[in-house]
Amino acid sequence: MSNPVLVDVQRGGVTESFHQGAFAVVDATGTVVHALGNIDRAIFPRSAVKVLQALPLITSGAADLFQLTDTELALACASHGGEPAHAATAAGMLAKAGVDATALGCGSHWPSHDRSSRELARSGGEPTALHNNCSGKHAGFVCLGCLLAREQGLDARGFLSGYVQPDHPVMQQVTHALATATSTDLRQAPVGVDGCSIPTFGMPLRQLALGFARVATGQGLSADHARAAARLRKAVAKAPFMVAGTDRFDTDVMAHFGERVFCKVGAEGVYCAALPELGWGVAIKMDDGNNARAVEVVMSHLLATWVARNEADHAVLAPRTTVHMRNWNGIEVGTLQPSAALRAATEA
Amino acid sequence: MSNPVLVDVQRGGVTESFHQGAFAVVDATGTVVHALGNIDRAIFPRSAVKVLQALPLITSGAADLFQLTDTELALACASHGGEPAHAATAAGMLAKAGVDATALGCGSHWPSHDRSSRELARSGGEPTALHNNCSGKHAGFVCLGCLLAREQGLDARGFLSGYVQPDHPVMQQVTHALATATSTDLRQAPVGVDGCSIPTFGMPLRQLALGFARVATGQGLSADHARAAARLRKAVAKAPFMVAGTDRFDTDVMAHFGERVFCKVGAEGVYCAALPELGWGVAIKMDDGNNARAVEVVMSHLLATWVARNEADHAVLAPRTTVHMRNWNGIEVGTLQPSAALRAATEA
């Protein structure tokens, strides 16, 4: 069941811990270009597929109807830190659709960005659903729902009730986009409930990577999905702060690479990327799923191997490929680094 | 290199992630009573051995000289949440030795207990070394150093300079206690720097578990180490809040079991326990080392199997052995639970 070691955690010159996992790199025809580990076991992609879940926001016409900006579209693809600009942007999306934060079905939590959380506390505030890392995605769902309600002459707030449920028209459109983009029959897939209460569907890394190769190229997508995917990629490249936040991998990497890389983290050790220059999609899942530290090293190593082409590119990726960990006194105590198996798999 | 799966992370009826690891259960003669995985590879025990590192605080006479209470001795064994009572207790220990928080060499960080961190921010405060999860252990080191300085007629502040370094007299005593309690030649061991800047020495789970069997029984320890270990166990049983904090495994489990269980978490997926009723020591290490979620399930399962004897015991452990995970809307989304391999290993 377990996959090869992809990342070593070194301390004192020895391996203290290690992270196992699998990855698939696939082109838009579905050909596996590179892979390591089991890429056929169904895994939950979690938040890594937000860009696919945002396709109906555009294809429905909701993004145009409510005149959503690139900044707002980037937030619709985000797992953000709940920083003030993230919360304000989500609020702005909802206002354009004529509703407010009470329409969001994602639940509330303190900002995951520590400083923003403390600043909110310092100011006497409490978190709302706007601070939930998924508030932008949900604001997009709400905009889609408001359009559908308007088309049917229904009250938006009534129509939106229960929009996170699998059988609601909003979630049906979202699931349909995910199924067609990845060529996966989600009616046969394992179904879980995600952190923000929408369904998450199990699918193999191979299919997930295919979906991102299609996002990268437009090939294999319907014409409207292809246009929507390109628009979302460009929006995130223009507003990378919105997709994650301060000192976050996705933001920092896309701020440098622009449209050359679209990458997105998901919970439980999932990472996906679309690489337009190569026409490839990437999907990674760490077995232990615990958090981002290991999967970021894998993604950084893959980008350094196949995407980086000059010193500036490597300068952005090097400290993320071999991560020098420091303690509370600033002393270097160890590193995270690609394993021998990962390096061998990418030398081929 | 990798060990058996010990914990399954379930979502939507399937395994979303899983955690591999090894454990050793050893009696005071060094006989392995139960084990799974590689128990001979050297691992860094990190904060799981704070009780062993606190032995010289007592055997030196420093705890008596400065009239440390059970509450303070419990904090010397702690990885606490930086809650107000933890920080105040550390400050009290330092005051008894005639110094203040500037003597601590552990570095500062915001309280790991989220609510305390926000309350500190709300009140306009900033964290000090007192909020570092290791401040109690370091306050114990400082008390030991103040005693040694006094014995040698030296200025305490000057003597304490660099006390976190391996060759400082304070750290030499701490390391000697660790080596003798575990019968490990630490001069031959891998050495890393811990999060709080003191050395951490690699040793096999087998030796680590032996050290805790000795803490449980006193057998195999010098008479003064045996008395000191018993005093520390009793201190933590009397003041379990000090060893961790609100909603923390160690605190909640020891608040229930009292002197029947001494357990202590360490960074990177390490857990140790002394079980006096059985005369056993336990040492666990998760391969991925990421955080506490998996290793707590393993420890809870081991305690439920071998220590629990009535409904009240099982009621404390059941929700920690199978952990029902809820999302931001309070919906149950999955479970953490002992793997088939772990269950099989403990049925033998």
Side-chain angles (χ1 to χ4, degrees), chain A residues 65-321:
Chain A
L65 175 67
F66 298 122
Q67 299 184 295
L68 299 187
T69 63
D70 284 339
T71 298
E72 291 165 334
L73 291 178
L75 195 76
C77 302
S79 296
H80 63 72
E83 300 183 57
H86 298 131
T89 302
M93 294 171 72
L94 296 168
K96 286 179 173 180
V99 294
D100 64 17
T102 60
L104 294 173
C106 51
S108 300
H109 63 74
W110 285 89
S112 62
H113 180 248
D114 284 342
R115 203 169 64 239
S116 296
S117 183
R118 289 193 297 266
E119 288 300 325
L120 183 59
R122 210 188 297 271
S123 70
E126 292 286 335
T128 70
L130 296 171
H131 299 98
N132 186 307
N133 75 90
C134 297
S135 69
K137 177 182 72 174
H138 277 257
F141 294 160
V142 167
C143 287
L144 172 60
C146 287
L147 171 98
L148 297 178
R150 192 179 292 201
E151 287 176 347
Q152 298 173 43
L154 298 171
D155 169 65
R157 289 306 298 259
F159 181 78
L160 281 168
S161 172
Y163 75 83
V164 298
Q165 298 301 326
D167 56 356
H168 188 280
V170 166
M171 212 44 56
Q172 290 272 316
Q173 290 210 10
V174 168
T175 302
H176 178 72
L178 186 60
T180 54
T182 60
S183 289
T184 308
D185 183 358
L186 297 182
R187 293 167 303 183
Q188 308 297 320
V191 188
V193 178
D194 213 324
C196 67
S197 298
I198 70 165
T200 182
F201 298 92
M203 62 177 68
L205 289 175
R206 179 195 296 272
Q207 296 309 119
L208 202 46
L210 172 61
F212 278 82
R214 289 170 168 174
V215 167
T217 62
Q219 293 170 37
L221 295 179
S222 65
D224 59 342
H225 273 172
R227 278 191 300 272
R231 184 168 166 190
L232 290 168
R233 281 200 293 104
K234 288 174 196 296
V236 172
K238 280 193 183 165
F241 178 79
M242 284 295 142
V243 86
T246 303
D247 293 333
R248 289 274 301 276
F249 185 99
D250 285 336
T251 291
D252 292 347
V253 167
M254 289 195 273
H256 173 77
F257 283 95
E259 292 184 34
R260 297 171 59 199
V261 172
F262 175 89
C263 58
K264 181 67 186 67
V265 71
E268 291 289 334
V270 179
Y271 231 113
C272 290
L275 307 176
E277 294 171 326
L278 297 158
W280 295 352
V282 179
I284 312 168
K285 162 76 181 178
M286 305 308 295
D287 289 351
D288 59 81
N290 244 2
N291 67 14
R293 76 171 186 181
V295 76
E296 287 180 359
V297 168
V298 180
M299 180 60 83
S300 188
H301 176 72
L302 299 184
L303 295 176
T305 303
W306 295 313
V307 178
R309 60 187 181 213
N310 57 40
E311 279 187 35
D313 292 350
H314 284 290
V316 168
L317 296 172
R320 296 174 168 85
T321 305

Side-chain angles (χ1 to χ4, degrees), chain A residues 11 17 193 197 268 290 329, chain B residues 11 17 193 197 268 290 329:
Chain A
R11 184 182 296 256
S17 303
V193 178
S197 298
E268 291 289 334
N290 244 2
N329 284 321
Chain B
R11 183 181 297 257
S17 303
V193 178
S197 297
E268 290 288 335
N290 243 1
N329 285 321

